[in-house]
Amino acid sequence: MTITKPPQLSFSAASSPLCSLKGSLLTVAVLTFLSLFYLSLNSLRTPPPSPTVLESTIHVPQTKDEDYSDVYHSPDSFKSNYAEMERKFKIYIYPDGDPNTFFQTPRKVTGKYASEGFFFKNIRESHFRTLDPEEADLFFVPVSPHKMRGNGTSYEDMTVIVRDYVDGLIAKYPYWNRTLGADHFFVTCHDVGVRAFEGSPVMIKNTIRVVCSPSYNVGFVPHKDVALPQVLQPFALPAGGNDVENRTTLGFWAGHRNSKIRVILARVWENDTELDISNNRINRATGHLVYQKRFYRTKFCICPGGSQVNSARITDSIHYGCVPVILSDYYDLPFSDILDWRKFAVVLRERDVYDLKQILKNITQSEFVSLHNNLVKVQKHFQWNTPPVKFDAFHMIMYELWLRHHVIKY
């Protein structure tokens, strides 16, 4: 019997497919590794998507450059400090006092002392107010000489009322005694306002006085006190601006001769053919809003001090686009530590009144246009609003207070 053996596979024939499979797997692995390496390397070289693309759908409000133009002494500091002030500043208003004497109730805010009323109204309704005295940066003593005067209170009675009120705050609350009042402030625009506090010397010496009559020679301290702009609102006519071609009169003033400088101004220039100077207020019988319309036609509006160093005529001039000519000694101009007044006004000494016309004529047309254009930029700072808006007179006063809320404690 013949036994047939199964055929034997040779070693070389059996190992060939196995080697081929292993080689293929090795090749795939190498290619995969190289592909991943290349992709990783490429990702390192490719920059990530631009943030501007990712944020393109997000609205980010931008501040206009003109808000921080060269009319400010330090635009960058103003920008950063103002933003910090809006975020952090807190004021506590003392709740005490008779509503008929102190500004505890709303009232119509008009007339030449309107700045006092606007501040009282705005601070009560603003986000700066806090009902927690422990988080307050400053304390507001809400005495309103304007309101007391309107109710017929005499000068003498005002001083007694203020003294008794302040003494009551000192006795009732612990906050005054922590600084002897250095972190307290009061606001008055009435010309009797400063006199109303004469019965309380610590109020004059220690507190921050926000006043419309900031005269260096009667105890006003610039680094401590604040000059409040006297604004006669509501304005009778719209704001002026971008209308230099209509301003053909060199200079204008009309008003009462209730100060030495006004008497001299009228005496020297009332008959001049290039300066429109009247030694009395313009009679309403001559026509509707004749006085206000003169501002629109004039390059330079003369602003001499009256019974006090201040005058509502300055803010009238700013509103109507007429470059103000400051003719008042010892006057700490409103916001003078923020705004460069010489960029939008002509600031003179009272003795310059005799050379007034030549001084104004020496100002070239291009210089006048620059002053006028800058004046338009600052108009918003001398306007009161209800409710207040960013950069208006209320916020500028708050900014001044913010700068002083860390003054030396007495």
Side-chain angles (χ1 to χ4, degrees):
M1 179 174 178
T2 304
I3 299 174
T4 305
K5 294 182 180 180
Q8 298 294 317
L9 296 175
S10 67
F11 180 77
S12 61
S15 63
S16 178
L18 182 60
C19 291
S20 178
L21 177 62
K22 289 182 178 179
S24 298
L25 292 174
L26 180 60
T27 302
V28 171
V30 170
L31 290 175
T32 301
F33 174 79
L34 291 174
S35 298
L36 292 174
F37 179 78
Y38 174 81
L39 290 174
S40 300
L41 183 62
N42 190 54
S43 66
L44 292 174
R45 292 176 177 175
T46 305
S50 172
T52 57
V53 175
L54 297 176
E55 296 173 358
S56 61
T57 58
I58 302 175
H59 175 66
V60 180
Q62 299 294 322
T63 304
K64 294 182 179 179
D65 290 340
E66 66 242 32
D67 289 342
Y68 307 106
S69 65
D70 60 0
V71 296
Y72 305 95
H73 291 300
S74 180
D76 291 338
S77 295
F78 176 63
K79 180 178 179 180
S80 60
N81 287 333
Y82 186 98
E84 186 180 12
M85 178 267 294
E86 286 202 314
R87 292 194 311 269
K88 298 181 178 180
F89 202 22
K90 294 299 178 184
I91 302 293
Y92 179 75
I93 305 174
Y94 283 109
D96 308 71
D98 178 3
N100 293 321
T101 302
F102 306 95
F103 203 100
Q104 304 290 351
T105 56
R107 64 173 291 183
K108 188 177 181 180
V109 284
T110 58
K112 62 181 181 179
Y113 305 122
S115 292
E116 181 177 320
F118 268 109
F119 184 88
F120 274 80
K121 180 175 177 59
N122 288 349
I123 188 62
R124 294 187 181 282
E125 300 168 359
S126 78
H127 73 279
F128 296 111
R129 183 183 184 183
T130 178
L131 300 179
D132 181 4
E134 295 300 331
E135 71 173 11
D137 297 296
L138 290 179
F139 294 81
F140 180 32
V141 181
V143 182
S144 178
H146 181 24
K147 189 165 188 176
M148 285 192 282
R149 188 61 177 160
N151 291 335
T153 307
S154 68
Y155 299 153
E156 293 75 14
D157 288 343
M158 281 188 196
T159 60
V160 175
I161 291 172
V162 172
R163 182 195 64 203
D164 292 346
Y165 176 66
V166 173
D167 289 346
L169 295 182
I170 295 173
K172 182 177 180 180
Y173 298 93
Y175 311 112
W176 176 283
N177 291 323
R178 295 187 306 191
T179 65
L180 293 182
D183 55 0
H184 287 55
F185 71 95
F186 68 88
V187 176
T188 178
C189 191
H190 203 286
D191 53 4
V192 303
V194 175
R195 292 180 58 184
F197 292 86
E198 290 178 349
S200 182
V202 291
M203 287 288 286
I204 297 176
K205 176 182 180 294
N206 290 6
T207 65
I208 302 169
R209 300 187 298 160
V210 184
V211 296
C212 278
S213 52
S215 181
Y216 295 131
N217 63 340
V218 290
F220 182 84
V221 183
H223 75 272
K224 177 177 77 71
D225 301 328
V226 176
L228 179 67
Q230 185 176 4
V231 185
L232 182 60
Q233 283 193 217
F235 293 110
L237 294 171
N242 304 316
D243 53 1
V244 293
E245 66 279 356
N246 299 327
R247 300 181 180 276
T248 55
T249 302
L250 179 62
F252 166 64
W253 175 77
H256 291 319
R257 294 185 291 179
N258 57 347
S259 67
K260 181 179 178 180
I261 183 60
R262 292 188 178 191
V263 171
I264 297 173
L265 176 66
R267 187 181 71 240
V268 175
W269 299 111
E270 64 179 332
N271 296 319
D272 191 86
T273 57
E274 295 180 272
L275 294 176
D276 183 5
I277 305 297
S278 302
N279 65 1
N280 212 331
R281 289 187 178 178
I282 297 176
N283 194 318
R284 293 181 180 178
T286 60
H288 183 59
L289 299 176
V290 172
Y291 174 76
Q292 289 83 356
K293 291 175 182 177
R294 296 276 184 92
F295 285 88
Y296 287 132
R297 302 198 304 266
T298 307
K299 288 184 173 183
F300 302 99
C301 288
I302 318 304
C303 302
S307 56
Q308 303 290 331
V309 294
N310 55 294
S311 169
R313 184 175 284 98
I314 296 175
T315 51
D316 282 346
S317 302
I318 293 173
H319 174 76
Y320 293 117
C322 183
V323 175
V325 179
I326 311 300
L327 207 57
S328 182
D329 293 344
Y330 308 112
Y331 187 13
D332 185 56
L333 292 163
F335 318 136
S336 60
D337 52 350
I338 307 168
L339 302 175
D340 186 349
W341 275 77
R342 296 185 185 276
K343 295 290 183 63
F344 59 90
V346 179
V347 183
L348 303 177
R349 299 160 296 185
E350 289 185 5
R351 68 189 186 193
D352 292 327
V353 64
Y354 300 100
D355 303 312
L356 179 61
K357 185 168 78 170
Q358 193 58 49
I359 290 172
L360 298 182
K361 293 186 74 171
N362 287 342
I363 298 174
T364 66
Q365 180 65 12
S366 62
E367 290 172 337
F368 164 68
V369 170
S370 178
L371 289 169
H372 174 79
N373 291 340
N374 286 334
L375 186 69
V376 174
K377 294 177 184 178
V378 303
Q379 284 175 334
K380 60 181 175 289
H381 297 319
F382 298 89
Q383 170 76 46
W384 292 95
N385 302 284
T386 301
V389 299
K390 193 172 183 178
F391 296 119
D392 68 358
F394 172 72
H395 283 90
M396 292 295 282
I397 291 298
M398 294 303 294
Y399 181 74
E400 290 279 21
L401 290 169
W402 168 255
L403 294 179
R404 289 161 175 77
H405 83 281
H406 48 65
V407 294
I408 297 173
K409 305 297 188 276
Y410 289 85

